[in-house]
Amino acid sequence: LVYGGGRVGLMGVLADAAAAAGATIVGVIPRFLFELEVAHPGLSSLEVVETFAERKQRMADLSDAFLSLPGGVGTMDELFEAWSWTHARLQSKPSGLLNVAGYYDALLEFIDTMEREQLLYPASRAILESGTRVTDLLDRLSTRNPALPDAAAEGGS
């Protein structure tokens, strides 16, 4: 597990569950959050960076895919940045949304509207997986290697 390094909220629950399952857990946390003592103490390793931008880049460097659980502004920032990096061909890593209890239904509807209105390439839409069962979603992400066609052949924006 590569994640934001926190011990509070869903991040803390996720890290605790991963630790209980025997997983290697790498946290990447900005210094100001580390100094506020919100870092999880039970990680395999914790990297302290200076900015959110550095955090996202470091987590991307360490990750094979991106899975967003229900969250707020930070989750949306990380989701869209990871997805846009693949869309722009800066990386070739899939992204997924764990849609617990319909949390992401409205967002997925909006994304599908973007595609219908030809503001999002179908291949770019296909980069973003979603599902309600974490095991199924992780299986799909582990077998994906998004490859985008040339924009001219795609016919969208």
Side-chain angles (χ1 to χ4, degrees):
L1 171 67
V2 176
Y3 86 117
R7 65 173 168 78
V8 296
L10 191 52
M11 275 201 290
V13 172
L14 176 64
D16 290 342
T24 299
I25 310 163
V26 178
V28 183
I29 192 166
R31 183 172 309 286
F32 81 93
L33 289 177
F34 179 80
E35 291 170 355
L36 289 173
E37 300 179 0
V38 297
H40 196 292
L43 307 181
S44 306
S45 68
L46 179 67
E47 297 185 22
V48 179
V49 296
E50 297 304 317
T51 67
F52 280 130
E54 289 177 67
R55 176 197 223 178
K56 289 184 290 188
Q57 183 63 61
R58 185 64 183 138
M59 289 193 308
D61 292 344
L62 294 168
S63 300
D64 296 319
F66 305 94
L67 178 60
S68 297
L69 281 63
V73 172
T75 301
M76 293 297 99
D77 176 49
E78 292 166 356
L79 164 68
F80 283 105
E81 184 128 27
W83 185 21
S84 69
W85 287 345
T86 302
H87 167 84
R89 298 174 181 85
L90 299 174
Q91 66 181 10
S92 184
K93 298 178 182 183
S95 294
L97 287 171
L98 184 59
N99 193 16
V100 176
Y103 184 83
Y104 285 118
D105 284 352
L107 177 61
L108 290 165
E109 273 184 48
F110 175 69
I111 291 167
D112 291 340
T113 297
M114 291 168 54
E115 182 183 2
R116 274 192 312 276
E117 297 295 327
Q118 299 181 347
L119 297 171
L120 178 66
Y121 294 122
S124 294
R125 170 61 183 94
I127 295 166
L128 184 63
E129 294 277 349
S130 65
T132 58
R133 292 183 34 127
V134 70
T135 52
D136 295 342
L137 188 51
L138 287 173
D139 286 345
R140 288 199 322 262
L141 291 175
S142 70
T143 60
R144 294 284 313 271
N145 185 11
L148 294 173
D150 289 337
E154 197 44 43
S157 298

